[in-house]
Amino acid sequence: MAGCLGWPVPAQPVKAGAPVHGAPPALIVQSTHQALAPHGAGPAMAAQLPGSVVLSREGDDYSMFLVSKCVQDATNRYLTTTALPAPGTTCTD
């Protein structure tokens, strides 16, 4: 897992682009401590997709769907019903 740390360039802040109109709200899943995907990247993307929600997962991995029942449940619910979790939801498992 530590192989990504220091990968040849440091992480840079993410700047949100213009909002995307006409797209459905998205579920954006983001770990809280990924080395090269700062947690701020999720809210930046959500800002571009009106109505979208960031589901945070406490941790530093990229395989959240494989290891977190909370992420699995929220993702499956979104994919089958388009229901989003409440804004600010954080999975801790």
Side-chain angles (χ1 to χ4, degrees):
M1 182 164 333
C4 295
L5 296 176
W7 178 257
V9 294
Q12 299 295 318
V14 176
K15 295 178 184 168
V20 176
H21 299 288
L27 172 63
I28 300 163
V29 182
Q30 178 77 39
S31 284
T32 57
H33 303 293
Q34 289 179 355
L36 294 178
H39 190 260
M45 181 182 287
Q48 291 181 265
L49 301 165
S52 296
V53 170
V54 177
L55 174 64
S56 299
R57 182 187 180 261
E58 189 65 40
D60 59 1
D61 55 73
Y62 293 90
S63 56
M64 296 162 284
F65 186 82
L66 298 175
V67 298
S68 170
K69 176 102 169 89
C70 173
V71 171
Q72 291 170 7
D73 289 348
T75 301
N76 288 334
R77 186 170 34 260
Y78 172 74
L79 292 174
T80 58
T81 70
T82 68
L84 292 165
T89 300
T90 299
C91 295
T92 58
D93 64 343

